[in-house]
Amino acid sequence: MTAPDTKDNRTTLSSDDKPSRVVIIVPTLNEAAHIIPVLRSLEPGARRLGAQIAVVDGGSDDGTVELVRQQAARFPAIVLLHNPKRLQAAAINLAAKHFRDQADWFIRVDAHAAYPEDYCEVLLDEARRTGAESVTVKMTAKGQGLIQRNIAAAQNAVFGNGGSVHRNGGEGRFVDHGHHALMQMSAFCTVGGYDEGFSHNEDAELDQRLRKAGYRIWLTAATGIAYFPRDTLGKLSRQYLNFGAGRFATALKHPGSLERRHFVLMGLAPVAGLSVFSVITPQAAIPLVMWFALCLVLGLVKALRCRAPDIAFCGIAAAVMQMSWSFGFWREVWRSSWCGLRAALANRWLQEQK
């Protein structure tokens, strides 16, 4: 994205301002099961704010586009944009470029979630009250089938989410990172928008640049979203493999951005590797067995505390999340090291040919 050189012209909400230039951005890719409820929940707020809803589709083939067009026929404030790059980061950048001169603020809405009717207005009120350039929200995972309920329980628990601030309760506060919701258009454009080289963790990477540029990120306790997680352990594993890889990419771009909880997760893949030697010495498997047993016990404790026997296996979901994240992180370390080695060897060969 083309970005201005300074943030001198950024829009600030004062206590007397009534922001009217708002766009709600909804990236989609095969969201036919969720898009209509999401749009219907956003429409009342969009009417009150005079906001447009931009659905940015990455090439859905499940009927999502047709459903959006049907909804736009009855609510003309809905605009459909095509995202040829498919990724969410590219979708937000595309919409921001399209609406940059028409909106002072944008609200990022993920289609795989549910939103309260006053969601957008509360976010704007929080920006006005705190003076923050970015207002983030807390996520509560909600499941329907047995597997999805266990995955949701793991994502809502500290032993599953690692203490991520936007996954847990508490008062509103300024944070380093949160689930993206409202953002000042000028701040977003000033730092260059999302890095489209990130398929995952693009929000955490952007928050690094926002804070370095002096912008403030507020995690509100006044509203939140209900998130619908993956409904199989296979899908969950692939998601967290990508999360781990994305976290390494962020750490590579922003040294010092890793937190203590990340280092704990990083140790799991080596522990799993160590267990291979259990064929020689059984003791090599002890750390892995102890970690998995701890996940199971914590899952059972959560089920007992919640008096919900149907989530007794949430410890398994937590184990899948944690180990997949670790393997994804180290997979990206290996790829990055291999690419660096190949580049070095190629450069050396070129030097020898001269």
Side-chain angles (χ1 to χ4, degrees), residues 46-344:
R47 284 192 179 93
R48 291 189 292 268
L49 293 170
Q52 287 187 289
I53 301 174
V55 178
V56 192
D57 189 76
S60 296
D61 56 11
D62 68 341
T64 298
V65 171
E66 290 73 17
L67 291 172
V68 172
R69 286 173 176 157
Q70 291 172 19
Q71 201 68 8
R74 56 173 295 277
F75 187 60
I78 295 174
V79 177
L80 179 64
L81 302 176
H82 175 58
N83 170 27
K85 297 181 181 178
R86 296 174 70 87
L87 296 177
Q88 285 190 338
I92 303 297
N93 286 351
L94 187 154
K97 182 178 180 180
H98 185 88
F99 289 97
R100 179 173 172 175
D101 296 329
Q102 304 172 43
D104 301 315
W105 298 84
F106 73 82
I107 297 171
R108 171 175 172 167
V109 169
D110 297 317
H112 218 66
Y115 299 83
E117 188 177 292
D118 62 350
Y119 181 71
C120 298
E121 291 148 304
V122 171
L123 292 175
L124 288 161
D125 286 343
E126 286 289 273
R128 180 184 299 108
R129 184 177 66 84
T130 64
E133 289 80 19
S134 174
V135 179
T136 61
V137 295
K138 296 173 183 177
M139 305 169 63
T140 302
K142 301 284 187 182
Q144 295 181 347
L146 180 63
I147 294 177
Q148 193 179 42
R149 286 199 300 274
N150 277 272
I151 291 173
Q155 292 183 338
N156 291 333
V158 173
F159 69 85
N161 61 46
S164 177
V165 293
H166 62 273
R167 292 278 191 176
N168 298 288
E171 298 297 322
R173 59 194 184 278
F174 286 102
V175 295
D176 294 337
H177 169 59
H179 183 74
H180 285 183
L182 174 72
M183 195 169 298
Q184 190 181 83
M185 185 70 82
S186 60
F188 182 79
C189 294
T190 294
V191 299
Y194 287 116
D195 185 334
E196 295 180 12
F198 283 67
S199 63
H200 292 75
N201 211 235
E202 78 283 351
D203 51 352
E205 190 282 322
L206 176 61
D207 283 345
Q208 289 287 323
R209 286 183 281 126
L210 283 171
R211 291 190 300 105
K212 288 176 182 178
Y215 296 113
R216 295 159 296 177
I217 302 168
W218 176 257
L219 176 64
T220 178
T223 191
I225 70 173
Y227 167 74
F228 305 120
R230 301 301 189 268
D231 56 5
T232 70
L233 292 179
K235 293 177 183 177
L236 182 70
S237 178
R238 288 191 292 273
Q239 180 185 31
Y240 276 78
L241 276 167
N242 289 326
F243 283 166
R247 203 63 187 80
F248 172 76
T250 299
L252 194 63
K253 188 173 179 179
H254 301 281
S257 63
L258 290 173
E259 301 175 14
R260 183 168 54 186
R261 61 192 177 93
H262 297 132
F263 288 99
V264 174
L265 290 175
M266 285 163 56
L268 291 178
V271 164
L274 177 66
S275 68
V276 173
F277 295 98
S278 62
V279 297
I280 301 172
T281 170
Q283 289 83 353
I286 290 177
L288 182 66
V289 172
M290 290 181 63
W291 160 76
F292 187 65
L294 179 61
C295 288
L296 293 179
V297 169
L298 291 174
L300 289 171
V301 170
K302 181 174 179 63
L304 289 171
R305 286 180 174 174
C306 296
R307 297 182 180 180
D310 60 322
I311 63 168
F313 300 106
C314 64
I316 296 176
V320 169
M321 291 156 52
Q322 293 174 15
M323 188 61 76
S324 297
W325 189 101
S326 188
F327 270 99
F329 186 95
W330 287 109
R331 181 189 66 183
E332 201 63 21
V333 170
W334 168 256
R335 285 180 178 176
S336 178
S337 300
W338 176 240
C339 289
L341 177 60
R342 285 193 302 175

